[in-house]
Every structure is written in C-alpha cells, then in structure tokens.
Amino acid sequence: MRGVSKVYGQGPTAVHALWDADLSVEPGALVAVMGPSGSGKSTLLTIAGSLEDPTRGEVLVDGASLSQMSRNDKARLRRRSIGYVFQDFNLLAGLTAVENVTLPLELDGLSAKRAHAAGMQALDELDLSDRASRFPDELSGGERQRVAIARAVVGDRLLLLADEPSGALDSINGEAVMRLIRAACRRGVAGVVVTHDAQLASWADRVVFLRDGRVVDQTSPPPSPETLLAPSPNS
Amino acid sequence: MSVRHALLALLSEGPKYGLQLRQEFEAGTGEVWPLNVGQVYTTLQRLERDGLVESDDEGTDGPQKGFRITAAGEKELVGWLRTPPDLSSPPRDELVIKVLVALWVPGVDVHEVVQVHRRYLVELMQQWTHLKEDAAETDLRFVLVVDAELFRLDSVIRWLDAADGRLRRAAVESPPRVPLPLPKRRRRVGVRP
C-alpha cells in the first residue's frame, strides 16, 4: 500500500478512516496491524483485499496495481490469490467443510475433481481430513476456524488477510490459529493480521501500530530470542 | 522465585545430590531460571539448619553428599504450595510511575511515552513467542514458563492501552490541567516495596 487514504462522507462530517498509510509485506512474511477499535484496522484490510477502493493512494498485489484492474480482474484476483479469515469464520452453513474450502476454486473455474483434491489437501494439512463431510454446525469453534483458514490458503494464494482471526476462541485455540497462519506464511504467502490482541500480534515478523487511521509506529526486527535466556552473571 | 521450596519439591521425589538438584531445577523450570551451584549448597545448608532436610554424612561436603527431605520439610512444602503470594497491595511498578510522572512534565506527550513502552513490550513478546514456536511440544514446562511471561507482558500492554484511551477521553472531556493547591489530606494506598 502506498499513501493510502480512505474518507467516508464529505464536508464537515467526513471521516478519515485511513490517512496516508504505507504498508508492504513480502512473500513469506507475516505482519500484524495493531490498534484500538476505530483506528482503521479493518478498513486497511478491506482495501488491501480489494473489497473496497481507497480514496487516494495505490494498492499493489504481486506488483499489479488494483486501480488499473477491471472489476472482473479484481474479482478473479480475490478468488485466486487472496485468502480471507474473518473473526466470525463466515462459513456457509449449507455446505460441508470441504465444499466451503473448494468454493473459491470452483467459482474460479477449476473442475470439481481438482478442486476437491486441493480442498482435501488443505484440510489434511490442518488435520481436518476426518471432518471434511461435516457441516459447520457439526464442528467445534476451533475446527470451524481451521476450515476457514483452509479456505483462505487453498490453491496458490499470494496474500492471506485475517481480521481478529482467533475471534472468541480461547487462548490455546487462538494460538493454534496463529500457528497455522504462521505456517502458511512460511510456505511463501504474504500475511496480514489485524488485531487489538498483543498475544496474536506477537506471532508476526513485524507489528505495525495504527492510531486514528495513521501508521504511527512499528517494531524493529527483534534480536535473537536466545538473549532472553542468557545466564545470569553469577551462575 | 523460592529456590528453597523448589529444592524441597525436588527432594520430595527422593534423596538427591546437590549437583543433581541444580540440573533438575534448571530442567524443571524450562532453563529460564539459571541457578549457580553455590546458591544450591547455601540453600541446602539453611534447609538443614532449619530441620527441613537432612544429609547423608555430617563429615563430608561436596558433590557426593546426598540430601533427603524431613517430615517437617514435607509439611513446609505442602503449606507453601497453598499459600497465595502477596498480591493484596499494588507493587511499586516503574512503568505506572513513568506514565504518571509524564503527565507532570511540560512538553512531554504522554501518548508518545506510552507508545515507546508498548512497542518495547510487543518486541519482547515477539521474542518469547518465537521461542515458543520453536519449542518441542513435549517441552511442557518451558512452554508454561513462556506462557506466564507472555500473559504478564500482555497485561502490561492492556494497561497501557486502557491508560492511553482514558487519557485521550479525559483530554476531550476536561479542560487543561492547572496546578492544584496542596491537598489537605492524602489518600494512603499500601504499596509493596
């Protein structure tokens, strides 16, 4: 994202949800965006995912500018290259786990057979093969979120966008979700997680702090974690 | 960290040598709390003096001297495990003091001060999380220690977030601060040293 601003409304009632935001995420890296409610986190994510257009500035995915794309091109990019994980999972209740995962591939024109194979592989990587034919209401909260992550990483995704991905899960299941997102990024996906939760954010390579729509700060690359375990001088 | 009670706990499994106690202590705390061998022997001597452990041989000191827990030691250990640490009065927290002091200093943006500390704490949490990510699933004790540290740092960040939000709200709702006259009465709050 380069110099991205988003203004809702006009004149004296205009709200600046984002203000001149710059953010870049390399393939294989995970960036967390932290900020309080109303700081612009979700707006940043929807613009990065081409679900919304910025008022000013430019968004590039794999070098291609979204502003230069037609609506159809953007829709194709969303289906093929961008995976989303939402706080409330957003699984379709009438589809099984594997059907939820394969839906974006089939919408993109992949044959049902190939889509099913890719979906089963994604579920298998998240240890969910035996839940493939269950419906969302037959799964636990943790399993539903793993299905949502499988849907977000299935196929050859370039970008994974997650909005408070641990939702209402407890800390152990929340950690499991972050381990999966982290693993997807290690395989070459660029990941962005927006959250107000420092424990989730601490899984990222870099944490960006958002306040009133502006990027106000970011973490430096941390020193080797082994420094935490340095022996005390008298040992 | 009570080395004294940790050693009693290790001896409750059976008699052990001093060096063995040191190794087991470090392994049992995920190697996050290094312990020097002098500390082990000094603590053992005090435990023996207090009748909580006894040693094999009165005459020899050194690595071959074995120690075992006494009945009084077992009673002390069980009582300590169930005694809550003193959390009844707020600790003298340096970070809380820094934020309070920042409100007095002209020209200092307290929100910027808060952000400096927030960033530092998140960076520390990233380091701990990377350690946890690399830890083997079987290394349960280590992961428990790392979790404790992550929750502690997280609670400090939550306090900073709440302080930041309250100060912003107060700035909108209240007029700028003017120096107050000396108070007639001071409210006393117990503070742990």
Side-chain angles (χ1 to χ4, degrees):
Chain A
M1 297 178 109
R2 289 188 194 144
V4 167
S5 296
K6 180 68 182 179
V7 185
Y8 295 107
Q10 287 181 328
T13 57
V15 175
H16 287 79
L18 269 186
W19 200 295
D20 201 21
D22 290 316
L23 180 69
S24 66
V25 189
E26 301 299 315
L30 177 61
V31 170
V33 180
M34 271 188 90
S37 307
S39 59
K41 301 190 300 288
S42 295
T43 302
L44 184 143
L45 208 65
T46 53
I47 290 175
S50 84
L51 295 168
E52 216 173 357
D53 291 325
T55 310
R56 279 187 303 278
E58 194 176 26
V59 181
L60 299 110
V61 176
D62 198 27
S65 172
L66 296 185
S67 63
Q68 309 294 317
M69 291 184 192
S70 66
R71 284 181 66 179
N72 283 346
D73 286 345
K74 277 198 260 189
R76 192 176 305 116
L77 180 84
R78 283 196 294 270
R79 288 195 303 267
R80 281 191 187 167
S81 304
I82 304 177
Y84 302 89
V85 182
F86 301 96
Q87 183 169 3
D88 48 4
F89 317 151
N90 278 11
L91 298 179
L92 296 174
L95 300 183
T96 64
V98 70
E99 287 166 350
N100 264 286
V101 174
T102 57
L103 185 63
L105 300 180
E106 292 192 51
L107 287 173
D108 200 34
L110 205 65
S111 73
K113 192 175 171 186
R114 287 176 63 191
H116 185 81
M120 286 306 294
Q121 187 188 338
L123 287 175
D124 187 44
E125 281 167 10
L126 301 183
D127 211 15
L128 281 167
S129 310
D130 60 339
R131 298 286 190 273
S133 36
R134 301 270 178 95
F135 288 92
D137 64 359
E138 297 170 326
L139 300 170
S140 71
E143 287 169 344
R144 282 203 284 272
Q145 191 58 314
R146 275 149 67 202
V147 173
I149 292 170
R151 181 183 56 186
V153 299
V154 72
D156 299 317
R157 303 304 171 95
L158 301 171
L159 184 59
L160 175 60
L161 303 172
D163 192 352
E164 300 285 4
S166 75
L169 299 176
D170 61 37
S171 64
I172 303 291
N173 277 302
E175 176 181 320
V177 164
M178 290 311 296
R179 280 185 187 275
L180 296 172
I181 289 176
R182 180 81 255 183
C185 292
R186 294 243 188 273
R187 291 195 293 271
V189 176
V192 181
V193 172
V194 305
T195 182
H196 67 278
D197 183 331
Q199 295 223 34
L200 295 193
S202 69
W203 285 88
D205 300 299
R206 186 158 50 99
V207 181
V208 171
F209 297 91
L210 207 61
R211 162 75 65 184
D212 299 332
R214 296 170 194 266
V215 173
V216 293
D217 201 5
Q218 62 177 323
T219 57
S220 308
S224 160
E226 275 65 35
T227 56
L228 295 171
L229 303 179
S232 61
N234 61 349
S235 65
Chain B
M1 176 65 208
S2 174
V3 174
R4 180 179 166 89
H5 292 97
L7 296 185
L8 283 178
L10 289 170
L11 289 171
S12 71
E13 297 178 321
K16 285 169 189 174
Y17 299 113
L19 276 180
Q20 184 186 1
L21 284 168
R22 181 201 181 189
Q23 285 163 357
E24 290 186 8
F25 175 90
E26 292 194 349
T29 55
E31 301 189 9
V32 172
W33 287 300
L35 187 64
N36 72 54
V37 76
Q39 225 175 332
V40 173
Y41 284 108
T42 310
T43 308
L44 285 169
Q45 280 166 7
R46 287 182 188 151
L47 287 169
E48 192 169 15
R49 179 198 64 197
D50 298 341
L52 303 178
V53 304
E54 51 195 20
S55 59
D56 285 340
D57 185 346
E58 293 295 322
T60 57
D61 278 333
Q64 290 309 310
K65 188 167 178 174
F67 293 86
R68 75 185 77 80
I69 193 166
T70 63
E74 280 173 355
K75 192 175 168 197
E76 165 72 20
L77 175 63
V78 168
W80 175 78
L81 281 176
R82 287 165 178 74
T83 306
D86 180 16
L87 301 175
S88 57
S89 50
R92 199 184 294 275
D93 188 307
E94 190 181 341
L95 185 55
V96 176
I97 292 168
K98 281 182 199 290
V99 171
L100 294 178
V101 167
L103 292 170
W104 284 329
V105 185
V108 167
D109 176 0
V110 67
H111 304 292
E112 194 266 336
V113 171
V114 164
Q115 177 54 30
V116 166
H117 293 293
R118 185 190 281 123
R119 183 183 65 230
Y120 171 73
L121 291 164
V122 170
E123 286 172 348
L124 266 182
M125 288 181 73
Q126 285 178 286
Q127 291 184 66
W128 283 111
T129 300
H130 289 167
L131 280 175
K132 183 159 74 169
E133 189 184 0
D134 295 340
E137 279 189 22
T138 50
D139 204 350
L140 187 59
R141 287 169 187 269
F142 177 73
V143 172
L144 288 175
V145 172
V146 172
D147 274 346
E149 198 51 26
L150 283 168
F151 278 106
R152 189 181 70 79
L153 295 169
D154 187 32
S155 75
V156 180
I157 292 173
R158 283 169 190 252
W159 177 76
L160 285 174
D161 290 344
D164 209 8
R166 277 189 202 283
L167 290 166
R168 281 173 202 279
R169 189 174 297 183
V172 171
E173 292 173 357
S174 315
R177 179 182 178 276
V178 290
L180 296 171
L182 282 173
K184 288 178 182 157
R185 278 195 318 157
R186 280 186 295 175
R187 188 169 49 171
R188 285 193 169 275
V189 178
V191 170
R192 289 204 305 277

